[in-house]
Amino acid sequence: MTITDSSAYVEDRSPGSGRLRPRAAFASDAPVIPLDGAWRFRLATGLDDLTEGLPEAGFDDAAWELLEVPSCWQMAGIPGKPRYGAPAYTNTQYPFPVDPPRVPEQNPTGEYRRAFDVPDGFPIEDAVLRFEGVDSCFAVWLNGIRLGDGKGSRLPTEFDISSTLRPGRNVLAVRVHQWSSGSYLEDQDMWWLSGIFRSVSVIACGIEDFFVRADFDHRTGRGTLSVRTTSSARLSIPELGLIDADPAGPHTFEGVTAWSDEEPKLYEGSLTTGGERVGLRIGFRSIAVVDGVLTANGRPLTFRGVNRHEWHPLTGRTLTEETMLADVLLMKQHNVNAVRTSHYPPDTQFLDLCDAYGLWVLDECDLETHGFAYANWRGNPSDDPAWLPAYLDRAERMVQRDKNHPCVVVWSLGNEAGTGQNLAAMAALIREHDESRPIHYTGNNESGSYVDIYGLMYPGIDEVEAIGRGREQRTTDPAEDEHRRGLPFIACEYAHAMGNGPGLLAEYQAVFESHPRLAGGFVWEWIDHGIAQVAEDGSPFYAYGGDFGEEIHDGNFVADGLVFPDRTPSPGLVEYKKVIEPVRIVIDASTRRIGIRSLHHSRGTGYLRFSWTVEDDGKPVGSGELSVPPVAPGNETLVAWPDDLAAAVDAAAKAASGCEVWLTLRAALAEDASWADAGHEIGWGQGLLRLSTPTTDFTLAAALVCEDAITLGAARFDRRTGALTRLGALDLDGPRLDVWRAPTDNDELGLAEAAAWRAAGLDRMHHRTLTVEPGPSGLVVSARLAASGSCSGLGIVYRWTTPQAEAGADATGLRLQVTVTPEGDWPVPLPRLGVSMSLLGTDADVEWFGRGPGEAYRDSQAAGRVGCFRSTVVALQTPYVRPQENGNRREVRHARITTSHGPSLLISGLPVIDLTARPWSTAALAAADHHNQLRPDGRIRLHLDSEHHGLGTASCGPAQSPQHVLVAAPATFAVEFAVD
């Protein structure tokens, strides 16, 4: 196939032709003709399959199908078989041969047509056609006249149609090409999708452009406002007493409220001409780097952020305002204060919401060339002068579009595009347009001289600590090194939230809060990019890479978010909320004082209501309010226990009905906020007030040998294997030592610990009983757990005891002590260490006293508060997009499992265990590719673990900290059982 002159723009490096210069996005009362809705659509297989006569107004398109605009054409038909091509996912690889600027000859091309009417009185002489986003390259005709073409998928493109538009009926035709030279600049980690995926409209352009500069002086509280306009207009801000003024000013106002994420104060104003009014929302604030510290309004700024792709499981990158608002509200409700718009400018409506609700934004350019890394960055466009116009175009369009948003506090040049002169030129251009915001970029883990922020991806905690102290590893260039050491640091990506995880969030946050140079970071990422699908049996699931027959793909690496595809918060988001809570509560039982520390940036704690609860073994015994004087940002205070709290604690201590008395203090919204209702919890703290260990003083019962079994009190054991088969009236199977878990994504990727575990045979261990020795003090069973072909193993001793029943009593208490001794070489850690057992049932009620209510693991347990909780086995499962280890409840003191097949099973840790209950086996969990493949099989599996290997974040980042590695070492743990 030969590319003709008429389609040469597809592979031309130029960013486009016939376009208007970039300008700010804004709404006005000027007439608008929305063009969203049903368009006629045809998918051509490539440039040799294009429709002749497409642009002509008289072309007959009645036989074409209808496709909604905005949309991604590969998502049509979802859930189900896509109607036009199919989604494809790669993380870093280009899904076509890397031969810039050439793209595949078979280049799917969407052909769109839309007829629309221009109403009487519409000012045609001012008409502009605006596309908010088209992926990846497109050409446009209006009434048969070619307007131009454009690239830069996630940025707006405008065309002057004042001489082309006509009264009455008009016909708009658009060709959209899936691949273009621009695709080489858009190798972001996401699904490859195409089409007119953001809104289209015809706008009457009166006020062409303006730039709001609203600075804040934190020393005086003075705001200074200047508005540069390209049109003759007047400025009014009634709340500040400014009416019909010259926009240029500068205008100064005393005592303004600064804009921040915590108090997003917007002053409503307007720019007006004789026939048009543009609404303004002005936020006064200042962003600066002072002595290597990033500041906002004069105070150090710490991002508690997330990276956010635009995603919906049914519509792909096309989002409604309602969906964007759902994201913003969830972020605010989980203490998130910042968003990195990875890796492109978002729909401008999202920035409007960030302005209104309060989120700091690191606005990132639509640029990534990660696929060139496979050739050691040979041919990378970032250092090729031929690509410079495209780079500058993308930077300018981002800055011009988003310059008036107070929420935007940092510009980012893009992501993982290597290094080169084009990036330096982008930074210079951005400074020409806007010197008020610092510039960020990370591409090769060394910040260039052209940026204002030192950024890294997935640094280890020790590395972050060293950077905070200014002791990071030196660069090869002394001048570059000196420059970098004067910059604030941001972990622009850390804590990869893929599958079960991330671990280490608390450790990272502790370091961020220890050094002013560290401006926090952004967890990767916000949402799992699962695509809604339905299996042949009708069961729903979320598809990921490879599920659409892609030639190359990166599997479920696209499912790495803090919320599931349907925007349900994952355990990782719940953990993150706790770790980054802006109010810290510390309870000191010895002095009967409560410490309140504010990590707020600009807001005092007066908006919060503090309440307390005292619980005895998880049962409430008292509650009340705590009066806390407002704590200023960055300050702390000590509050003495009020009399009613002290009385409740004393009463609980005297009652001594349980083993543990806990005080929980909650900080919640005192009044409704724009993003949550009154009572929404911001932070909490717990303190253990009393701990007592029950004493056991009883005579041990003897184990008795029957014809085919061994009995010990109310328990029955298999005579040959020593396995517990019955306790009272409850049939059981087990327990036996278990060290395997269905690998998490962090186990599988990064350090590939799961591969090492499989090589060591941990997924195929055989349990062999060596001796079964009943005696006067109980039953002792010796066994060994080992894999075929392995010389290593785990020696096991199970010691069963039970108290001698008193006359007339029906004692069912049964204690198991497990001693584990590694034999041979163990070069790998253990996934888990505990016992597993099962009982009949497809579901069960579960009550427990321990950490909850959600799942927790040793390096991800901050969100687990100690208390009594209740659920079902089915509800305890966490539906990760790719099934894996999940659902563990941490530090369980005692639990009750109730099925419909007998009495309740009571379990107690000595002192604590980790508890997991599942309606399917670990083998089934590990074998499943999607959650819909898991089916209850008639038995409830219980895992009672002494400990788990940590989660870490190794799917993209560091593994577990040393203290969270489960080393194969001698261990002893104990569990008690009973039935009720």
Side-chain angles (χ1 to χ4, degrees), residues 579-716:
V579 165
I580 61 174
E581 59 188 8
V583 177
R584 300 290 166 77
I585 299 170
V586 178
I587 297 170
D588 188 337
S590 62
T591 63
R592 295 202 164 191
R593 289 180 179 273
I594 297 170
I596 309 291
R597 179 186 173 205
S598 172
L599 275 72
H600 280 301
H601 176 268
S602 52
R603 189 179 195 183
T605 62
Y607 74 103
L608 297 173
R609 168 179 166 266
F610 293 84
S611 59
W612 58 265
T613 302
V614 175
E615 293 176 314
D616 185 358
D617 266 13
K619 300 178 180 63
V621 295
S623 61
E625 300 289 318
L626 180 69
S627 177
V628 177
V631 182
N635 289 6
E636 54 189 309
T637 190
L638 284 174
V639 179
W641 289 8
D643 292 342
D644 54 349
L645 170 55
V649 172
D650 292 339
K654 290 179 181 178
S657 60
C659 297
E660 300 180 32
V661 176
W662 285 84
L663 169 61
T664 303
L665 186 67
R666 299 174 63 247
L669 292 179
E671 300 177 351
D672 290 347
S674 62
W675 44 272
D677 295 336
H680 171 77
E681 186 176 273
I682 301 297
W684 58 271
Q686 280 192 311
L688 178 61
L689 307 183
R690 182 175 62 81
L691 174 64
S692 61
T693 303
T695 59
T696 303
D697 185 15
F698 55 77
T699 302
L700 297 178
L704 304 177
V705 179
C706 303
E707 182 176 339
D708 60 348
I710 296 172
T711 61
L712 179 62
R716 185 180 180 91

Side-chain angles (χ1 to χ4, degrees), residues 52 265 445 654 669 753 860 937:
E52 188 175 349
K265 173 61 178 178
N445 287 349
K654 290 179 181 178
L669 292 179
E753 286 185 304
S860 181
D937 61 6

Side-chain angles (χ1 to χ4, degrees), residues 148-229:
D149 55 81
K151 304 183 186 77
S153 299
R154 283 151 283 278
L155 290 161
T157 304
E158 291 186 326
F159 299 95
D160 180 355
I161 56 173
S162 59
S163 61
T164 316
L165 194 68
R166 59 196 182 202
R169 187 176 186 271
N170 290 259
V171 176
L172 182 62
V174 184
R175 277 200 178 106
V176 181
H177 308 280
Q178 179 164 358
W179 310 119
S180 70
S181 62
S183 301
Y184 285 100
L185 307 185
E186 296 174 3
D187 188 27
Q188 293 99 335
D189 174 13
M190 59 186 183
W191 293 97
W192 293 92
L193 299 173
S194 317
I196 305 173
F197 73 98
R198 290 183 185 162
S199 289
V200 186
S201 58
V202 172
I203 303 168
C205 180
I207 296 177
E208 180 191 11
D209 197 11
F210 59 90
F211 188 2
V212 175
R213 291 293 300 270
D215 298 320
F216 176 74
D217 188 334
H218 67 277
R219 295 176 294 272
T220 64
R222 183 181 299 120
T224 302
L225 176 65
S226 176
V227 183
R228 298 202 307 258
T229 68

Side-chain angles (χ1 to χ4, degrees), residues 735-736 738 816 832-837 895 897 905 907-908 913-916 942-947 973 975-977:
R736 287 183 172 181
D738 194 352
L816 169 64
R832 71 184 335 138
L833 181 64
V835 293
S836 60
M837 58 192 300
I897 317 294
L905 175 65
I907 302 170
S908 298
I913 56 168
D914 279 13
L915 169 67
T916 308
L942 303 178
H943 293 272
L944 314 175
D945 292 314
S946 170
E947 194 51 272
F973 58 94
V975 189
E976 287 189 345
F977 303 92

